């Protein structure tokens, strides 16, 4: 029968196990078989068999198998007592047997088998096909014998075995152990493994304390716990194993330690006398967690009241610790990969967003709940000249490490192109060329917006991306009805440029489709929900008392939006990004502008305007430097460009001086020879400014410089 299949009229069969129909009808211990075979996984086995002994025919009949192909299970489905294989040897001898070699053609090192002992001798055999080099270690053999002993005590109706009357508590415990197996199979992280143990192991035994440690570099580290205070855990976390004798015993022998009272604890480990009182426990089961033949940690199950442990409880707890160890080893691999993915994502996304005079922002990135926890959604806020700010959000199709790498390339390209101060449509055109060169099947959506706090105009272009949402100070929410151009990689430029006139203050909300669209919700429904949440919760963001408060309120709003639109994020299949920026216009008193004549008088007039305006702004200490900058820039226009000429000063966190002309020529710093009378103007501009650059318009260009404003004046 195929693994997992059940014959009509038979009991349901645990997944991953194969039960021959003829023999399964004689068993009512499916949960026991599941645990017994699953426990052998911690020995790094390729597969496992469980046979029962038919004394009349003197044959071993296969009861259940795990991890084996049908051909392999069939080969050992019916073994005579004369065959020289590990299960038969263990049955004849009545104790552990090992046969080296790959007898089933599975690439195995050998087979280890231990008998299932009943009242009158062996009643069956538990066998493991091992993959590791050589014979299993003594700790592994001891563990296998414990599992076999527990299984023999739990199985009913085997030939030559009298029926066992099971108590109600025992039946309930078996059911819970079956649930534990299922819960461990579903656990992904180390914390989830510990939570599964706390939920399914502590109640059946009446325990109320749990600590799971892992051993690393000779020290023990707490993975998680239940029923203990944080102060107590700190005492034991990070201790050298040699400084905690009970852990040294368990780690050194790979065997459990059961302590039934505080007096026994102190007697066996006198150096640890303060532990029972500090933990408020009076009975303990210290269980080794074994994976791939090695002890990777220790599971402590503890009790407030002192108690004794029956043989059945000891073997059951030992078997369960093997399951937990195997699950924890798998989960820790996931934890490592998850941490690497998160580190990669953090490296690709901005660690902090800049706080700018015209905008401060908060953002959230939520990777797909299922998968590698890393994806291709990104966002950024980029300061531009004249206090303008660029905001970008994008989504590389798909999610995973390759998409994250592509996202990193695009984000770097956007920042580079933004420094050139080119318009949104042109930036997306260049980005489209980059995506087309990366791969034929690479596509990405993108929204690139530039907000000018002087004109209050937000210019943006869309490449397959939903448009932004604008929130007014009174809570009114506006979403422009626009058609986006095709995604990057599929578009044919030029891209269209859209413009919005924003209020004196506003919230600009950018997002990816993973936030508003899912398998259970259409995008229109998600957008309606987004607008509803913003209308209800966005107003407090406009009443912040200072910059720190502003950022905190934007963070709170991001959390509110994410919770409302992705309440069950752990089950999502797409990445999501959200960026909310609080934009502010610059007051007209902080901007001054003049038209200059197109002749040599312009430089003198520029110096006069600068001197007078800086005196009005009480920035006289910047007057000489700014006069020199303005005079040099205007002089360059007179000599090398054409009018009209305009001078503009902007007071903010820095002082910006701009000179506009009607030429599209590009200013460049050149190396002037010692005998040259000119060519040093831009060198002087660069030396006197914190930053300088040029940006272009449809009818000319602007050369700008920035200087720090003295702290006293600011």
């Amino acid at each position: 029968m195929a693994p997992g299949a059940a014959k009509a009229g038979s009991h349901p069969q645990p997944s991953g196990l194969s039960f021959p129909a003829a023999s399964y009808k004689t068993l009512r211990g499916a949960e026991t078989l599941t645990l017994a075979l699953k426990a052998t996984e911690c020995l790094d086995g390729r597969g496992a068999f469980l046979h029962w002994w038919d004394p009349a025919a003197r044959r071993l009949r296969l009861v259940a198998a795990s991890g084996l192909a049908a051909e392999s299970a069939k080969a050992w489905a019916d073994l005579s007592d004369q065959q020289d294989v590990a299960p038969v040897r263990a049955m004849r001898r009545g104790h552990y047997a090992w046969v080296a070699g790959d007898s089933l053609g599975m690439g195995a090192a050998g087979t280890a088998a231990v008998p299932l002992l009943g009242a009158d001798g062996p009643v069956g055999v538990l066998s493991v096909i091992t993959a590791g080099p050589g014979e299993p270690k003594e700790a592994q053999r001891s563990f296998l014998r414990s599992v076999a002993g527990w299984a023999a005590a739990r199985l009913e109706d085997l030939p030559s075995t009298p029926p066992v009357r099971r108590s109600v508590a025992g039946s309930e415990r078996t059911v819970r152990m079956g649930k534990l197996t299922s819960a461990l199979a579903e656990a992904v992280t180390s914390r989830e493994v510990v939570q599964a143990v706390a939920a399914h192991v502590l109640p059946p035994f009446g325990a109320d304390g749990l600590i799971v440690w892992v051993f690393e570099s000779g020290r023990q580290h707490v993975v998680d716990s239940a029923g203990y205070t944080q102060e107590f855990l700190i005492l034991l976390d990070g201790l050298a194993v040699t400084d905690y004798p009970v852990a040294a015993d368990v780690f050194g022998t790979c065997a459990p330690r059961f302590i039934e009272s505080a007096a026994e604890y102190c007697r066996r480990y006198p150096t640890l006398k303060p532990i029972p009182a500090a933990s408020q426990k009076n009975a303990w089961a210290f269980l080794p967690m074994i994976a791939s033949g090695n002890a990777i940690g220790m599971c402590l199950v503890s009790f407030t009241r002192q108690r004794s442990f029956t043989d059945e409880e000891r073997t059951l707890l030992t078997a369960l610790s093997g399951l937990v160890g195997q699950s924890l080893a798998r989960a820790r691999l996931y934890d490592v990969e998850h941490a690497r993915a998160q580190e990669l994502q953090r490296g690709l996304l901005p660690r902090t967003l800049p706080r700018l005079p015209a905008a401060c922002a908060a953002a959230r990135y939520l990777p797909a709940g299922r998968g590698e926890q890393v994806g291709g959604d990104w966002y950024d806020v980029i300061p531009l000249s004249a206090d303008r700010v660029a905001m970008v959000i994008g989504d590389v199709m798909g999610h995973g490490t390759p998409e994250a790498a592509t996202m990193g390339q695009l984000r770097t390209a956007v920042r580079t192109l933004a420094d050139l101060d080119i318009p949104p449509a042109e930036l997306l055109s260049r980005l489209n060329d980059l995506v087309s060169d990366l791969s034929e099947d690479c596509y990405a959506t993108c929204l690139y917006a530039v907000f000018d706090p002087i004109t209050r105009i937000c210019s943006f272009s869309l490449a397959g991306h939903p448009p932004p949402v604008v929130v007014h100070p009174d809570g009114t929410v506006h979403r422009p009805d626009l058609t986006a151009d095709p995604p990057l990689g599929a578009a044919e430029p030029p891209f269209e440029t859209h413009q919005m006139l924003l209020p004196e203050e506003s919230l600009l909300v950018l997002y990816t489709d993973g936030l508003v669209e899912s398998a259970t919700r259409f995008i229109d429904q998600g957008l309606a929900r987004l607008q509803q949440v913003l209308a209800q919760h966005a107003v407090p963001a406009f009443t912040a008392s200072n910059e720190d408060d502003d950022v905190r309120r934007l963070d709170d709003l991001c959390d509110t939006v994410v919770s409302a639109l992705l309440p069950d994020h752990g089950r999502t299949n797409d990445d999501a990004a959200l960026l909310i920026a609080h934009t502010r216009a610059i007051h007209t008193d902080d901007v001054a502008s003049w038209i200059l004549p197109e002749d040599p008088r312009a430089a003198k007039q520029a110096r006069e305007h600068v001197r007078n305006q800086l005196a009005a702004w009480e920035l006289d200490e910047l007057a000489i430097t700014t006069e020199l900058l303005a005079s040099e820039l205007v002089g360059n226009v007179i000599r090398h460009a054409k009018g009209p000429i305009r001078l503009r000063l902007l007071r903010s966190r820095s002082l910006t001086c701009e000179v506009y002309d009607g030429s599209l020529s590009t200013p460049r710093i050149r190396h002037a020879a010692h005998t040259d009378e000119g060519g040093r103007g831009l060198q002087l501009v660069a030396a006197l400014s914190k930053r300088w650059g040029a940006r272009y318009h449809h009818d000319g260009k602007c050369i700008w410089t920035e200087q720090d404003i003295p702290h006293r004046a600011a």
Side-chain angles (χ1 to χ4, degrees), residues 34-56:
T34 302
L35 283 171
L37 294 182
K38 283 286 185 181
T40 62
E41 293 179 3
C42 70
L43 301 180
D44 195 20
R46 289 188 179 274
F49 295 92
L50 200 150
H51 291 83
W52 55 260
W53 172 242
D54 183 350

Side-chain angles (χ1 to χ4, degrees), residues 427-450:
L427 184 141
L428 289 191
S429 295
R430 298 193 185 187
L431 208 60
N432 182 69
D433 294 338
L434 173 61
V435 174
S436 299
D437 292 340
L438 289 176
S439 172
E440 293 183 358
D441 57 352
C442 179
Y443 303 99
T445 69
C446 187
L447 184 163
Y448 182 80
V450 175

Side-chain angles (χ1 to χ4, degrees), residues 491-618:
E492 294 183 1
F495 290 89
E496 186 174 356
T497 299
H498 309 279
Q499 290 187 334
M500 296 186 299
L501 180 64
L502 300 184
E504 295 285 336
E505 282 189 84
S506 68
L507 297 183
L508 196 62
V509 182
L510 313 183
Y511 52 91
T512 58
D513 59 356
L515 183 72
V516 294
E517 187 179 25
S518 68
T520 59
R521 181 176 60 198
F522 294 112
I523 190 169
D524 289 341
Q525 295 173 311
L527 288 172
R529 178 60 175 151
L530 173 62
Q531 290 179 255
Q532 180 186 28
V533 174
L534 291 172
Q536 293 174 346
H537 301 281
V539 172
F542 292 97
T543 60
S545 58
N546 54 50
E547 194 174 73
D548 291 336
D549 190 26
D550 195 3
V551 173
R552 279 195 298 270
R553 296 194 184 199
L554 290 176
D555 276 325
D556 291 342
L557 183 57
C558 284
D559 291 336
T560 300
V561 171
V562 168
S563 298
L565 273 77
L566 298 175
D568 193 14
H569 170 253
R571 299 183 179 274
T572 59
N573 294 310
D574 195 10
D575 313 310
L578 171 67
L579 174 68
I580 302 179
H582 184 185
T583 63
R584 304 179 189 83
I586 290 181
H587 198 277
T588 55
D589 291 344
D590 291 323
V591 182
S593 180
W594 304 271
I595 300 296
L596 302 176
E598 297 180 42
D599 58 48
R601 294 176 302 166
K604 179 181 178 181
Q605 291 184 14
R607 290 193 295 270
E608 291 175 352
H609 290 314
V610 167
R611 187 183 313 115
N612 294 335
Q613 188 60 55
L614 293 187
W617 284 343
E618 298 182 351

Side-chain angles (χ1 to χ4, degrees), residues 28 152-157 161-167 312:
R28 296 197 298 272
R154 306 301 297 176
L155 291 175
E156 300 176 355
D157 299 332
T161 303
V164 178
R165 185 181 297 269
R166 188 177 297 173
S167 66
E312 177 188 343

Side-chain angles (χ1 to χ4, degrees), residues 11 305 449 586:
H11 297 279
R305 297 181 179 180
I586 290 181

